[in-house]
Amino acid sequence: MHNENLITDLHEERLDTVVRHLLATGAKSVLDLGCGSGALLQQLLKEDQFERITGIDTSTEALASARDLIEMDRAASSAQVDLLYASFTQSNENLMGFDAAALVETIEHVAPNNLSAVEFAVFACYRPKVVIVTTPNQEYNINYGIGPGKFRHLGHQFEWSRRKFQRWSNGVACRNGYSVIFLDIGEPDPILGSPTQMAKFTLICFCLLYTSPSPRDRQKS
């Protein structure tokens, strides 16, 4: 089975990469969609640039863990920090108006037929200036001793190849007025790529030209 130290190192590199790119955007408010136990929130609180930070999750246990993890950092930071029980598959007016949003190792926990709901909520409704998405590179799994049809985590609904992730991301960007670039995170394999793949979306069209219909609208049609 794969080396747990490698996974830990990858986790730290992933968080560092996401924070570095968020800082480079100049964002002052960040929405952590699927914050889990608060690892990214903890890193964001260390940066004075971020004045408003909100994490959401659908697990009350995860939110309780996040609250415990960031309590000391929250006291030492001037940022406004909120934790909300909410899903990023549903639009919520309280989550609008953020400069940036991050979905770090979260979309693979969503059933594929619900990804259109994620797109509608995040890219059509919230419309942050920057959205960062990371997800496992399925092609790399063989290097962890994970065979075909198996996932890195029991909670994963899917894991995508680089080609499939880029196809999905390009479609989301095109439909919602964003540009997108792709980056690798982790030690790369010359053939299989890196263990984590990242898409960085940047809003280029403030006037919404076209978005995918909301799940409710699709049901009516």
Side-chain angles (χ1 to χ4, degrees), residues 11 15 18-19 22 29-45 52-58 62-63 66 69-70 81-88 95 98-106 122 126 128 130-134:
H11 176 66
L15 293 177
V18 170
V19 171
L22 288 172
S29 57
V30 180
L31 183 59
D32 185 0
L33 298 167
C35 64
S37 58
L40 178 60
L41 296 172
Q42 186 180 44
Q43 296 302 314
L44 294 173
L45 279 168
R52 181 187 178 201
I53 303 166
T54 295
I56 74 165
D57 208 284
T58 56
L63 289 171
L69 181 67
I70 68 175
V81 185
D82 294 301
L83 293 173
L84 302 176
Y85 178 81
S87 170
F88 53 79
L95 303 181
F98 283 81
D99 295 332
L103 296 97
V104 178
E105 307 299 286
T106 56
V122 177
Y126 304 156
V130 174
V131 180
I132 291 178
V133 179
T134 76

Side-chain angles (χ1 to χ4, degrees), residues 7 28 37 46 56 58-60 71 80 93 96 137-138 140 143 157 166 173 178 200 204 208 216 221:
I7 296 296
K28 295 185 180 299
S37 58
K46 296 177 181 178
I56 74 165
T58 56
S59 166
T60 54
E71 197 60 43
Q80 174 189 339
E93 64 180 13
M96 296 178 182
N137 169 19
Q138 179 270 333
Y140 196 91
N143 289 334
Q157 300 293 310
Q166 290 179 18
Y178 283 78
K200 182 179 180 181
I204 57 174
L208 191 57
R216 181 179 301 174
S221 62

